[in-house]
Structures are given as structure tokens and as C-alpha cells.
Amino acid sequence: MTARTTRPSAALTRLTAVAAVAVAGTLVLTGCGDQTKKDKPSASASAGDTASTGGAPLFSKLPKKYQDSKTIQVGTDASYAPMEQTEGGKIVGIDPDIADALSKQLGVTFKFTNGKFDGLITSLSTGRADIVMSAMSDTKARQEGLDDKGKKIGKGVDFVDYYTSGSSLLVKKGNPKGIKTLADVCGQTVAVQRGTIYEDAFKKQKTACGSKGLTIQPFDTDSEAQTRVKAGGAVADLNDTPVAAYIAQKSGNGNDFEVAGSPADAGPFGIAVSKDNTQLRDALKAAMDAIIADGTYAKVLQKWNATTGAITAAAINGGS
């Protein structure tokens, strides 16, 4: 999960619910992805390896570069089950399965490469990736290239939105501190993955806490933040609702964590594309609409028990 951004207010979301793959303790990961600053690729896998141009209805919509290479390079943080995680050296999850469906529409291979979440957008500008699929929240700040203080740090990216999620607090089983909302963490210590919209949300909440204060412990991966909560060193972690629900279900056979309160602040996940690559962006949108229309998209979400976040049409830059 990556996302794996900046969110409105004390917004609970990497958008920043679910099924089975690996336990939270084994998530090498992310956080909304392993969302950190070093963009160090590791495991990689290909989605749609059997895709060919024959019978791919949207191949002609792609820029010639991808028609020639037959490959789209995808940056991801493969530690955010069930969105993306590494199993047996292969990247699997909702995002790779959606990419596989897109590959059949576009006639090219989507090749996933694992990296740190907060380096994924940079990988677009350096050319290491053509797109980012990593449960990344589509926000105005990311669209406009702004940091969490509103300072311009880049030209921004465009998003093709493909899923909607809320955010949820993950607490130790039994919820010993009675955490239900963000306001309840005032005066406490929280853990979170560095570089995510959830770190931003906790920073905003710290301001709202005033004299009560809030201690924020950021980690390179969300699995580290989870470990801190499990050990009692922090009262909560903040995650996308599907991811939080998955962790609560799988970690320690459901005995390590629980989701506190109700999901909040729903918003879209988007495929990030360079603003200079509008033809690719539009081809991806057309392919997303096609797999929604033919039912393939719904089957992917059913496989991962994530249908609550389904959309009915792809959008470009629909985040706020």
C-alpha cells in the first residue's frame, strides 16, 4: 500500500476494506505503500506478460513509445496488502490484477518495480517509471506538486482514478486507550509510515490538539508502525480502510489489532502519470472504463473482497 499524500484537514485517509494474502507482520512494505524517500527498486514482476497487440482494442491509443516497447514501467511500493505485496518474489494484489486487465485492453506488458513510496512520484520525472500504481491517493497537492505546507516542490502529476477508499485508525486488540477518532489521540503517541497522507493527517491533528500535544513516530514502512502499535509504544496507526481491515483480520490470526471507530474521509486512489504524458493518461482512462464496462474490474475487486471501493467510471484528477 504507498500510499501510500496530503489530505484535507485531520483527514483520516490514504484512501490515502478486504481479503487474504500475507500477515501484517510480514508486510515488508508501505503505508496508505513502503512510502519513503529512497527510491531503491527491489523485487519486480510483470502483469499481462501474455498481452499482445493482437485483439487489444485500445493499442492504437497509446503513444508510439509504448507501442514500440510493448511495455509500461510501473513504480509501486509492494508492501501494502491487499493493494500490492510481494509473494514468492512476485508482486501481487489488487493493483497488479487491475494492471493485468488493462494490459489486455492496451496490448502491452505492465512491469512492476518495487520502491519506496515517497520516491515514486520522483521516479516519473526521472524516467524510472512511466506510471505509479501504489494505492496512491489522488489529491490536489499531488496534482499541483505541493508539499504538506503548500510549498511548490515539483510540477505535479495527473491521476486516472480507479478506486475509492476511506481511512481508518488501527489500534492494539482490545483498544486499551479507547481510541475512536483522531481527536482521541491527543496527548498520546502515534505511529505512521513516513511520506504518506496519514503522516500529514497526524501533523494536522497535532496542531488541533493544542496544549495536549501529540507525539508522532514516523517509520520507513507501515509494518514498522504496526509493530510499534502492537508493542504498546503507540496507541494507533492510520491507514486506508481496506488495508487496516486486512491487517486486523490477518495479523496474529486476528488477535493483534482492531479497527477503531468508523472509516472517514473517502477519496480516490489514482494511477499517477507525468503531466507531459497526456496521451498515455487518456489511454489508461479509456482502458479503465473498458474493464469496468466488461466486468473484469468487478471480478478483480471480488477476488480481493474489496468491492466497497468500486467506481462506476474512471476520472482524471478527481481528488480534492
Side-chain angles (χ1 to χ4, degrees), residues 87-136:
E87 282 190 340
K90 183 178 181 181
I91 297 173
V92 301
I94 293 172
D95 284 346
D97 282 359
I98 288 176
D100 184 69
L102 295 176
S103 75
K104 292 175 174 61
Q105 292 291 325
L106 294 167
V108 295
T109 293
F110 283 63
K111 184 174 182 181
F112 279 71
T113 299
N114 190 18
K116 299 295 186 181
F117 185 81
D118 66 357
L120 294 180
I121 287 181
T122 300
S123 72
L124 295 177
S125 59
T126 61
R128 291 193 301 276
D130 300 309
I131 65 174
V132 170
M133 290 187 74
S134 195
M136 181 172 282

Side-chain angles (χ1 to χ4, degrees), residues 194-216:
R194 184 179 289 110
T196 64
I197 59 171
Y198 299 122
E199 183 181 18
D200 296 338
F202 276 145
K203 288 178 180 178
K204 291 176 183 176
Q205 184 58 39
K206 182 175 182 176
T207 299
C209 288
S211 61
K212 290 183 179 180
L214 176 63
T215 300
I216 303 169

Side-chain angles (χ1 to χ4, degrees), residues 261-282:
S262 302
D265 202 25
F269 289 155
I271 302 170
V273 188
S274 169
K275 285 189 175 294
D276 297 330
N277 212 347
T278 56
Q279 187 179 351
L280 175 59
R281 178 200 68 192
D282 293 346

Side-chain angles (χ1 to χ4, degrees), residues 5-6 120-127 129-132 136-147 150-160 270-278 281 316-317:
T5 103
T6 22
L120 294 180
I121 287 181
T122 300
S123 72
L124 295 177
S125 59
T126 61
D130 300 309
I131 65 174
V132 170
M136 181 172 282
S137 298
D138 173 2
T139 67
K140 288 296 183 185
R142 283 176 171 160
Q143 293 169 24
E144 296 170 7
L146 308 178
D147 66 12
K151 179 182 177 181
K152 187 78 171 176
I153 56 173
K155 63 182 179 181
V157 296
D158 284 338
F159 287 96
V160 178
I271 302 170
V273 188
S274 169
K275 285 189 175 294
D276 297 330
N277 212 347
T278 56
R281 178 200 68 192
I316 292 176
N317 296 334

